[in-house]
Amino acid sequence: MSSNPDDEYRTRSSGGASAPAGGEGEQDLLLTAKTVAADGVVVLTLRHPAGAALPSWEPGAHVDLLLRPDLVRQYSLCGDPADRTELRVAVLRETAGRGGSAYVHDELPVGATVRVRGPRNSFALLPAKRYLFIAGGIGITPIVPMLAAAEAAGADWRLVYGGRSRASMAFRTELRQRYGDRVSIQPQDETGLLDLPTLLADPDPDRLVYCCGPEPLLGAVQDNCRQWPAGTLRVERFAPKTFDEPVRRESFEVELARSGRTLTVPPDRSILQVVEEAGIPVLSSCQEGTCGTCETAVLGGTPEHRDSLLTDEEQAANDTMMICVSRSRTPKLLLDL
């Protein structure tokens, strides 16, 4: 999970279709441990208060922590998917954030009950002969269980892990101890920026590149992977992309196929807001187009995609959209709501 000011959103930008892993329901879990993993990073361990088995999940999955009614944050799971007794997430303190990470670090005590929604997976690890994992800072969190899965599958893999300083890099010691030279720890204050042009110089159709970290790293990795085959780069974002003004600046209509209603979406309201105001419940979380919770099937019309989640290919298909941020290129959309 992070560099988005304290939200640590995990998205599937340049990844595959969203594949929920485990349940979407909510449950109250007990915070049984809160440990320091690096400077400014704590790891939370959550268990069922009665010892019941927790939902299954796969590498890349995240959960929503409903810290307060007005404070919901998404964090990647960084534990062992085979261990159904606990969920583990790592939280970076963001001094310029909106209060989520500060609440976790300063106010959430061991023994507290935490409402948890999920897990769901928008950054799934796909089968491959070879992997290159690139992590920046707290972006290591979804990568940790991916390494174990790649190792168990007998794949050829390598991790290049950068951070501001060695002390700020969570899990660095245990990863080196467990995997040896396949893990390259490169603190910026010791080695400078990651040498991406060299690292990504030779496109390999049999290698998947997984990257998670701050936006400058993601942008640089994408730039250096432009010659790689389509679909080989999988990126998870902390923060939403920046977009120009919508193509269609006037109002448009959304017809809700299952509800039998047609609603008008004005320029200053999102589809999600209009639908919710009409009394039609839609599951949502980040409301920034990064988490995938509000993904909705498009049955007609052409959406204007403004999310940071769907791949170029998925957006071109125009059969699904994130209604919290995306809009319409046509006068009307027909949605499966």
Side-chain angles (χ1 to χ4, degrees), residues 180-242:
D181 291 341
R182 278 176 294 178
V183 173
S184 177
I185 305 296
Q186 299 186 25
Q188 184 176 341
D189 61 353
E190 298 177 21
T191 62
L193 296 175
L194 300 181
D195 185 5
L196 298 177
T198 299
L199 191 63
L200 299 167
D202 300 316
D204 181 353
D206 293 323
R207 187 186 303 274
L208 291 183
V209 179
Y210 276 80
C211 180
C212 186
E215 188 61 32
L217 173 64
L218 302 185
V221 169
Q222 289 175 319
D223 287 343
N224 282 278
C225 280
R226 296 194 185 282
Q227 303 305 314
W228 284 62
T232 52
L233 174 61
R234 315 268 162 179
V235 174
E236 185 171 51
R237 285 195 142 76
F238 293 152
K241 298 177 183 178
T242 300

Side-chain angles (χ1 to χ4, degrees), residues 217-272:
L217 173 64
L218 302 185
V221 169
Q222 289 175 319
D223 287 343
N224 282 278
C225 280
R226 296 194 185 282
Q227 303 305 314
W228 284 62
T232 52
L233 174 61
R234 315 268 162 179
V235 174
E236 185 171 51
R237 285 195 142 76
F238 293 152
K241 298 177 183 178
T242 300
F243 292 92
D244 295 329
E245 289 294 316
V247 171
R248 188 178 189 85
R249 299 189 182 185
E250 62 268 33
S251 300
F252 59 92
E253 292 185 333
V254 288
E255 181 180 348
L256 310 182
R258 285 187 280 127
S259 301
R261 300 183 61 180
T262 298
L263 307 173
T264 298
V265 181
D268 61 342
R269 308 292 285 170
S270 70
I271 298 174
L272 177 64

Side-chain angles (χ1 to χ4, degrees), residues 9 25 53-54 189 192 260 301:
Y9 293 133
L54 299 178
D189 61 353

